[in-house]
Amino acid sequence: MDIRYSANPNDVKRYTTEELRREFLIEELYRADEVVAVYSHVDRMVTLGCMPVREAVPIDKGIDVWANFGTHFFLERREIGIFNIGGAGRITVDGTAYELGHKDCLYITMGAREVVFSSDDADCPAKFYMVSAPAHRSYETRLLKLADAAKRPCGDAATSNKRVINQFIHPDVLKTCQLSMGMTVLESGSVWNTMPAHTHERRMEVYMYFDVPESDVVFHMMGQGNETRHIVMRNEQAVISPSWSIHAGAGTASYTFIWAMGGENQEFDDMDVIPTNQLK
């Protein structure tokens, strides 16, 4: 498991491009029949990827759960949200199978002992993208289709940011301890998220960009509002955003991204907005 420690914003001002990427960017999430896991000390969030091809892959494959979490199994004191961004697949949770198509989501509550991933077709494998947060009680494990998400259209074609925010793991949809997740889809011709830029000191966030054409990139904006930096990102890469950092982006083409938040509260609009003309 890759361990990322918390970064002081005063130190980040002096980071080189490679230091920024090493601290915040998750470049490779998918390896055949493996689990890729990155543990961030920012709110103790874990970002994972699994692409089962020819095997049924348990969530803790290659992870020393006791050494990393001090627990007997991965979700003993954690909850997790999972999106499938690949072909059709299946997640089996303590013997119950959940079928996930493209862009379906599964929330698994604290206490689930066995979580196993598999694909329907080895030639078009599922790609399970996951974020896990610490939890204090159990709720309900639930499969969420795109139609189940709360939808918030926003932006405008005139400002190149017309998009729909699909809230899957969200208080308006289901109860969780602290984890919130959703998927934002930009319309063709729109490339900006999320303006005006903002921070939320009470929560951190992880972005994962996908549906980015092979020849295109997303310029992910981060840093304090008066000390912005950027990280160039490619398809199916994720980035850790501490509470003190803005998290916005502009692509050379339209794209989709999955956001995940954890922290003190679950108020979606609890943010400190920075007027665009005040960014530096």
Side-chain angles (χ1 to χ4, degrees):
M1 179 180 288
D2 185 6
I3 307 294
R4 307 287 180 93
Y5 291 94
S6 300
N8 188 307
N10 291 323
D11 294 334
V12 173
K13 295 175 185 179
R14 298 185 289 272
Y15 280 9
T16 65
T17 297
E18 284 307 311
E19 286 173 324
L20 278 177
R21 294 174 69 85
R22 187 165 59 246
E23 289 293 330
F24 301 106
L25 178 64
I26 303 172
E27 293 192 73
E28 183 186 8
L29 279 163
Y30 302 105
R31 294 193 290 265
D33 297 320
E34 298 292 338
V35 174
V36 175
V38 177
Y39 184 110
S40 172
H41 278 266
V42 181
D43 286 305
R44 300 193 178 275
M45 300 283 271
V46 182
T47 303
L48 308 98
C50 180
M51 184 176 66
V53 179
R54 303 194 181 280
E55 298 179 13
V57 182
I59 194 171
D60 58 355
K61 183 177 182 180
I63 299 173
D64 188 331
V65 173
W66 181 259
N68 287 287
F69 306 111
T71 56
H72 298 91
F73 53 95
F74 187 89
L75 294 177
E76 183 176 344
R77 294 185 59 81
R78 286 185 159 270
E79 58 188 355
I80 193 168
I82 306 170
F83 279 84
N84 180 14
I85 65 167
R90 181 181 304 103
I91 304 175
T92 304
V93 183
D94 290 339
T96 300
Y98 298 88
E99 306 288 338
L100 274 75
H102 187 63
K103 295 184 177 178
D104 288 345
C105 173
L106 180 67
Y107 169 76
I108 305 177
T109 190
M110 183 188 83
R113 286 181 168 271
E114 294 185 355
V115 179
V116 181
F117 307 104
S118 57
S119 294
D120 290 359
D121 183 354
D123 293 326
C124 184
K127 291 182 177 179
F128 296 110
Y129 171 72
M130 302 167 263
V131 178
S132 173
H136 62 275
R137 61 157 292 179
S138 296
Y139 284 103
E140 177 189 2
T141 294
R142 183 173 163 191
L143 176 65
L144 299 160
K145 302 287 186 177
L146 184 58
D148 299 320
K151 294 173 173 56
R152 293 182 54 167
C154 56
D156 192 278
T159 49
S160 303
N161 66 351
K162 191 172 184 181
R163 62 201 189 277
V164 176
I165 301 172
N166 297 277
Q167 297 169 331
F168 283 80
I169 300 173
H170 185 276
D172 291 343
V173 180
L174 81 167
K175 291 183 178 181
T176 67
C177 289
Q178 64 163 311
L179 183 66
S180 296
M181 291 183 74
M183 180 173 62
T184 299
V185 181
L186 277 74
E187 290 197 3
S188 178
S190 287
V191 297
W192 276 102
N193 85 84
T194 299
M195 290 294 174
H198 61 271
T199 60
H200 24 74
E201 282 289 346
R202 293 150 292 279
R203 291 174 295 161
M204 66 86 72
E205 195 153 0
V206 181
Y207 272 18
M208 192 279 292
Y209 293 95
F210 69 110
D211 287 346
V212 180
E214 184 176 355
S215 59
D216 290 285
V217 298
V218 175
F219 288 79
H220 179 80
M221 311 299 172
M222 65 160 296
Q224 294 173 300
N226 62 349
E227 285 279 354
T228 61
R229 301 290 187 269
H230 73 267
I231 296 177
V232 178
M233 299 183 61
R234 291 169 173 79
N235 191 42
E236 298 178 0
Q237 293 183 342
V239 62
I240 299 165
S241 180
S243 60
W244 49 262
S245 175
I246 67 169
H247 33 280
T252 56
S254 57
Y255 52 86
T256 301
F257 66 96
I258 295 170
W259 44 268
M261 291 184 283
E264 296 292 345
N265 65 38
Q266 295 177 302
E267 295 297 323
F268 188 79
D269 294 319
D270 178 13
M271 59 185 71
D272 302 308
V273 172
I274 304 170
T276 303
N277 60 8
Q278 292 183 17
L279 292 170
K280 294 181 181 179

